[in-house]
Amino acid sequence: MPAAKKRVRKAVFPVAGLGTRFLPATKAVPKEMLTVVDRPVLQHVVDEAKAAGIEHFIFVTGRNKGVIEDHFDSQYELERTLAERGKKEALEILQRELPAAGQTSFTRQQAPLGLGHAVWCAREIVGDEPFALLLPDMLHHSESGCLSDMIAAYNGTGGNLIAVAPVPEDQTHQYGIVGVTDASAKVSRITAMVEKPKAGTAPSNLHISGRYILQPEIFALLEKQERGAGGEIQLTDSMIRLMDDGNQPFHAVRFDGSIYDCGSKIGFLMANVAYALAREELADSFRAEVKRLL
Ligand code: UTP
């Protein structure tokens, strides 16, 4: 058993995928840097982690992703120009959001071998402690914040946690699905996990939505994990082994807010609409413009 309830201080953001569904936009710009309103998708997810108390942000990047590192660094020339021009508000935004020195780490996944492999690339930086994992293209929009809810649940359960949300029964074959002891409870013990189950075989309609708290024992399993669905090293396959062979508890935390899959065009466009409507200074004029368009 892992040391129960060691604090979750670090978060991993896998950002090494190719983003082929967004070509040509993602030829030179990583898909995680596409903007939802005026912030890169990735920044929204880092904000969620910050609000949950995460202190160290670990990015698993790849080729052509240097701009991600730049985004989380200070931009001396820009800041100086803003200061000279008296653009106090813009300068304040940049400075407020800058991570403190030493709060970020970047490592590279040299080939996009799958999510499981990307997570494994962070093993040395995470070390021997539990960590959060946030898939940056899945935006979770809610009052309290998905990762904050999960950390609150973790303080009770310890072990491993996965955020889940219901999907229509006829779509379960597209997702990682979990079976739980009580599908209506906010926090429930996971009894089964399966990646993209064949139609009619899913243990429930609760899908793994892209937020995890994992114990470091996952790394040894990922290291030996063979390629699974889609020829990729799948995180779910190693989580199943950690639960079944490693006897580690997994709990599902049901997320009740809205989820936008920004890796898909419709999800990305919907996120822009929803996040713009949630912004007080934009909502009225944006709603009027959209109505005009429709
Ligand atoms: P996706 O499978 O949605 O990303 O991975 P993708 O491969 O970039 O997208 P498409 O299908 O080609 O359009 C979910 C998250 O995991 C990361 C991605 O960057 C994304 O944030 N990922 C995926 C990696 O870091 N490495 C991988 O090998 C695969």
Side-chain angles (χ1 to χ4, degrees):
M1 281 288 286
K5 298 186 208 164
K6 243 188 188 174
R7 205 156 67 84
V8 182
R9 301 182 310 128
K10 300 182 180 178
V12 174
F13 303 85
V15 288
L18 298 178
T20 53
R21 284 170 289 169
F22 268 95
L23 282 170
T26 47
K27 190 175 166 199
V29 177
K31 77 169 174 185
E32 298 82 7
M33 291 303 289
L34 299 178
T35 54
V36 168
V37 189
D38 50 9
R39 304 168 82 65
V41 173
L42 179 57
Q43 179 75 62
H44 286 284
V45 182
V46 166
D47 292 346
E48 179 191 332
K50 249 191 225 169
I54 294 298
E55 295 163 5
H56 194 120
F57 306 86
I58 303 165
F59 301 91
V60 181
T61 71
R63 282 165 64 79
N64 289 331
K65 304 264 182 171
V67 67
I68 293 178
E69 210 161 327
D70 293 342
H71 180 77
F72 292 101
D73 193 3
S74 70
Q75 249 272 29
Y76 177 72
E77 292 82 0
L78 176 60
E79 287 179 26
R80 204 188 143 120
T81 309
L82 291 175
E84 281 168 4
R85 294 187 183 171
K87 304 234 176 226
K88 275 195 190 153
E89 210 179 309
L91 184 60
E92 214 261 312
I93 290 175
L94 290 188
Q95 290 173 340
R96 189 179 57 218
E97 299 197 344
L98 189 65
Q103 259 198 321
T104 52
S105 295
F106 297 85
T107 187
R108 280 201 179 197
Q109 184 190 26
Q110 285 133 335
L113 299 178
L115 175 61
H117 182 258
V119 174
W120 179 73
C121 290
R123 68 199 178 282
E124 293 292 338
I125 308 173
V126 171
D128 189 24
E129 57 181 282
F131 62 100
L133 168 65
L134 298 95
L135 301 199
D137 43 6
M138 300 301 286
L139 283 189
H140 287 59
H141 197 225
S142 73
E143 218 25 59
S144 53
C146 183
L147 191 63
S148 296
D149 289 356
M150 292 178 77
I151 288 189
Y154 172 82
N155 291 337
T157 62
N160 304 269
L161 289 98
I162 300 176
V164 301
V167 289
E169 304 278 353
D170 61 352
Q171 289 176 22
T172 52
H173 64 283
Q174 299 171 21
Y175 297 95
I177 300 288
V178 299
V180 292
T181 47
D182 180 358
S184 59
K186 176 77 182 169
V187 181
S188 183
R189 181 87 183 228
I190 295 180
T191 51
M193 243 185 268
V194 48
E195 187 61 42
K196 301 191 175 61
K198 288 202 178 83
T201 67
S204 80
N205 70 338
L206 294 175
H207 88 290
I208 297 175
S209 69
R211 299 289 183 271
Y212 312 76
I213 291 174
L214 295 170
Q215 296 296 326
E217 286 78 9
I218 194 78
F219 291 122
L221 300 171
L222 286 170
E223 183 157 356
K224 298 203 189 95
Q225 187 62 55
E226 285 172 11
R227 289 174 190 241
E232 295 195 336
I233 296 172
Q234 296 284 352
L235 175 65
T236 309
D237 292 342
S238 286
M239 292 196 302
I240 292 169
R241 284 165 56 216
L242 188 58
M243 184 172 77
D244 291 349
D245 307 338
N247 277 327
Q248 282 212 13
F250 272 78
H251 285 85
V253 181
R254 205 180 148 107
F255 179 67
D256 296 315
S258 305
I259 298 176
Y260 302 96
D261 176 3
C262 291
S264 81
K265 291 188 185 89
I266 294 292
F268 175 74
L269 294 168
M270 289 309 297
N272 268 288
V273 173
Y275 278 68
L277 289 174
R279 289 268 289 268
E280 215 176 297
E281 80 283 16
L282 293 177
D284 287 348
S285 42
F286 182 59
R287 187 177 290 108
E289 289 297 329
V290 171
K291 267 193 189 145
R292 209 167 52 82
L293 208 64
L294 294 173

